[in-house]
Structure formats: structure tokens, C-alpha cells
Amino acid sequence: MYEGACTRRQWTLAARAYLLHLVGCTIFADKSATSVSVFYLELFVDLRHTGGYSWAAAALTHMYEQLGDGSYANTRQLAGYVTLLASWIYEHFSSIGQRQLRDDYVEDESRCMKYVVGSRLSTLASVRMQLDSLCIGVVQWMPLKSIERCVLLSGFHYFQGTFD
């Protein structure tokens, strides 16, 4: 659909198809790995509003729900944006999982790019055991503290709306 829309120069349709794929297969992925819920179509009816949605909050909520489902003993697979979850875990809990750092990582890249993904995977059962034995002393409460001087936030804003 995406390629056909691009060929016909239907850019809005192509953008909708791409965003639907992005949302359904990464941010809000489910265990099917091939299906995207029609629920997400409504989000892209008017692309002018898409940038105003709280995607981060929605992604975290979705991941929280998936983690809740993954906490059951009979669960064998975790759905959701696992790359985001793995990167967050690697940053805050360096003793969990089998993290492997990339040799060519540069600090201005996305934090997800810092790790080699898929080279050595931990099983859900082994991660559960590591979480159960976790001590407060090994938690990195502020993993970005070492680079905060390098990041300029003056050009960013996080509030959209009006104050009453």
C-alpha cells in the first residue's frame, strides 16, 4: 500500500500507511507481529493532529500493560516495543539481561543504538529470576547524569496548550 501510494504521488495516503505500520509494528506491537489493529486508523485521519498526541505516555501505558501480562508464570512471550524496554533496562539495571555495548556508539545517537540487540537473548524466566534478586544498590537512578552537560534543551518545549 505504501509503495503504491508513493508511486501515485499520494503523499498523505503514503504517510498514513507508514505511520500505521510504525505504530502497529513497533510502538504498540502485539504478539501477532503481522497484524495492526484498525483502532489506530482513527489516529491518522487528520495528520495535522498526529503531532499533538502524547505518544510517549501511550507507549509507556501499552508497555506497562504488556509487562503486566508478561508477569504471569505461564507467559512465554512479551509483546510491545521490546527494544525500548530493553534499552531502558540496560540503562537503569546494568546487572539484568545480557547487555552488550556497541564499540562504535557515539553519545549524540539514540540511547537504543548503544547496545547490540539480539546477539544474546535472555529468557523471560531468567530475567524474572534476576529481577527477584535485584538489590537497590545496583540501580542506576540517573543514567544520563554523565552526559547532561552535553545536551542543550533550550530549543525544546514540552507543554502544548494554554494556562487558565
Side-chain angles (χ1 to χ4, degrees):
M1 181 175 171
Y2 172 76
E3 290 176 8
C6 288
T7 303
R8 294 185 306 276
R9 296 183 173 267
Q10 294 176 321
W11 305 121
T12 303
L13 180 61
R16 285 187 185 118
Y18 175 76
L19 290 170
L20 184 63
H21 170 76
L22 179 71
V23 164
C25 295
T26 57
I27 300 171
F28 303 120
D30 61 14
K31 291 182 183 179
S32 74
T34 57
S35 301
V36 178
S37 173
V38 294
F39 167 79
Y40 301 118
L41 284 173
E42 187 177 336
L43 299 174
F44 306 115
V45 171
D46 188 347
L47 293 178
R48 292 174 296 180
H49 298 294
T50 305
Y53 299 149
S54 182
W55 292 105
L60 288 173
T61 302
H62 179 73
M63 182 54 70
Y64 182 76
E65 289 175 1
Q66 300 310 313
L67 287 170
D69 292 345
S71 68
Y72 295 113
N74 62 348
T75 301
R76 300 193 185 281
Q77 185 180 11
L78 184 66
Y81 194 13
V82 180
T83 303
L84 176 64
L85 176 65
S87 297
W88 185 85
I89 289 171
Y90 291 158
E91 290 289 318
H92 290 81
F93 306 98
S94 59
S95 63
I96 293 182
Q98 298 178 9
R99 78 178 191 168
Q100 182 179 358
L101 298 172
R102 271 187 37 223
D103 295 331
D104 58 344
Y105 175 73
V106 181
E107 283 294 334
D108 62 350
E109 291 180 315
S110 168
R111 298 302 278 188
C112 292
M113 300 297 294
K114 186 175 182 178
Y115 306 99
V116 177
V117 180
S119 60
R120 301 178 313 188
L121 297 175
S122 300
T123 64
L124 193 54
S126 70
V127 171
R128 282 186 186 132
M129 288 182 4
Q130 292 171 23
L131 284 170
D132 288 342
S133 64
L134 192 63
C135 298
I136 196 166
V138 298
V139 176
Q140 294 288 334
W141 296 104
M142 298 177 68
L144 303 178
K145 185 77 170 158
S146 63
I147 65 163
E148 74 180 21
R149 283 183 244 120
C150 303
V151 180
L152 299 174
L153 295 177
S154 60
F156 293 91
H157 65 83
Y158 296 101
F159 175 79
Q160 183 173 1
T162 60
F163 288 107
D164 293 327

